[in-house]
Amino acid sequence: MSHPHQHFLDEYRISINKLVPLTPADVREEAERLYAELAGNEHASERQIQQALVEIGKREYPYRKAYAALCATDEEKRLEDAAFTKIDVSIAEKVRAVTSHGVHLSDYVNSKLFESQLTAEERYHVEQAILGAHDVINRQCDERAATRKESFETLVAEWSTKRDEIQRLIEELRNMATRSSGLAGEIIGAADAFEEGWSIVSRDPEEREVREALESFATQLEEQSSDDILSL
């Protein structure tokens, strides 16, 4: 019998599988422990699973950002180079006829041209080559991050500071809810949405967006306060 919230557990499993290679062992172990605990408890709620996702995502965030910073600068070029080593020459010629004009391979594969210019068999061949290339790139990133450990740890520290500042702003936003019963639900909803963004399977919360929400609600609270005074 599957868990009542198996879909959310599946998302949790995806998030564990997506942890970057240099994520500390204690974070991985905690993620696995929480997963096993939730999967083994049929009474575990959707909220509990989501909270676990958020907690692990929040802890992993600086390592993921640091890892991406070390690997992403020339990733598209390296991906193309690795993919073309796996594509048959005759098919590669057709693909290069497009990519040689500055079109990224990933963009081409997602375009209508890809479907119209290549047969189903050729498209499958290219897609499999790209999957294999991703494995190569991931190994290169692992090696690059490992050899540049000092740079990686510096980046982790910087992104940890960034994460803590974003979380502080989210809490500041949440605390605004106490200033107005009328806006409380909307404010808490916004804070919850930002908080859920820490989950690896969601879009990261952005400092700029949280600050904009703070400014927007602050303005609304000031206007509401002025209206209350005028109505006296």
Side-chain angles (χ1 to χ4, degrees):
M1 180 178 175
S2 63
H3 193 281
H5 301 295
Q6 188 61 47
H7 170 71
F8 293 98
L9 285 172
D10 290 343
E11 281 196 336
Y12 194 159
R13 172 49 61 189
I14 290 171
S15 75
I16 293 175
N17 293 340
K18 289 176 67 175
L19 293 175
V20 297
L22 294 182
T23 299
D26 63 314
V27 176
R28 289 181 176 277
E29 291 166 2
E30 178 68 1
E32 292 287 359
R33 185 191 67 77
L34 285 172
Y35 177 83
E37 184 178 293
L38 292 165
N41 177 11
E42 65 178 16
H43 299 296
S45 67
E46 175 185 328
R47 178 65 176 165
Q48 287 175 304
I49 297 171
Q50 181 63 30
Q51 286 176 328
L53 267 167
V54 166
E55 181 58 31
I56 296 303
K58 194 184 300 182
R59 293 183 63 186
E60 188 260 2
Y61 174 85
Y63 300 96
R64 174 162 45 86
K65 289 294 190 179
Y67 188 78
L70 286 181
C71 299
T73 52
D74 58 350
E75 184 171 353
E76 185 66 42
K77 177 64 167 59
R78 290 185 295 114
L79 177 65
E80 287 193 9
D81 289 345
F84 275 118
T85 64
K86 302 175 182 296
I87 300 174
D88 289 345
V89 176
S90 60
I91 302 175
E93 288 178 357
K94 295 181 181 180
V95 177
R96 286 190 191 278
V98 178
T99 60
S100 62
H101 294 289
V103 178
H104 289 310
L105 179 59
S106 56
D107 292 334
Y108 175 54
V109 169
N110 291 319
S111 72
K112 291 183 178 180
L113 276 177
F114 183 63
E115 292 188 11
S116 63
Q117 293 178 339
L118 301 182
T119 66
E121 184 177 348
E122 289 173 334
R123 293 197 301 272
Y124 177 78
H125 180 73
V126 172
E127 289 166 349
Q128 290 303 303
I130 291 174
L131 286 175
H134 275 296
D135 291 337
V136 172
I137 297 305
N138 287 339
R139 286 196 298 273
Q140 290 176 352
C141 284
D142 297 348
E143 293 165 2
R144 181 181 296 192
T147 56
R148 297 170 65 184
K149 195 70 163 57
E150 185 175 342
S151 297
F152 180 74
E153 291 175 351
T154 298
L155 286 165
V156 167
E158 291 174 359
W159 281 105
S160 294
T161 299
K162 171 69 75 174
R163 175 200 59 197
D164 294 345
E165 174 62 8
I166 294 172
Q167 184 61 37
R168 184 191 70 77
L169 292 171
I170 292 173
E171 292 306 321
E172 183 179 335
L173 176 63
R174 191 182 303 281
N175 290 336
M176 271 189 171
T178 62
R179 295 167 54 186
S180 168
S181 58
L183 287 173
E186 189 176 348
I187 292 172
I188 291 173
D192 286 346
F194 286 127
E195 186 83 25
E196 289 171 6
W198 291 121
S199 167
I200 301 172
V201 295
S202 301
R203 187 171 72 87
D204 293 324
E206 297 287 343
E207 180 177 351
R208 174 185 56 80
E209 293 176 353
V210 183
R211 289 189 181 280
E212 287 175 353
L214 278 165
E215 292 174 6
S216 175
F217 282 117
T219 299
Q220 292 181 62
L221 288 168
E222 288 175 7
E223 291 173 349
Q224 188 177 76
S225 179
S226 297
D227 290 343
D228 291 343
I229 291 173
L230 290 173
S231 66
L232 293 177

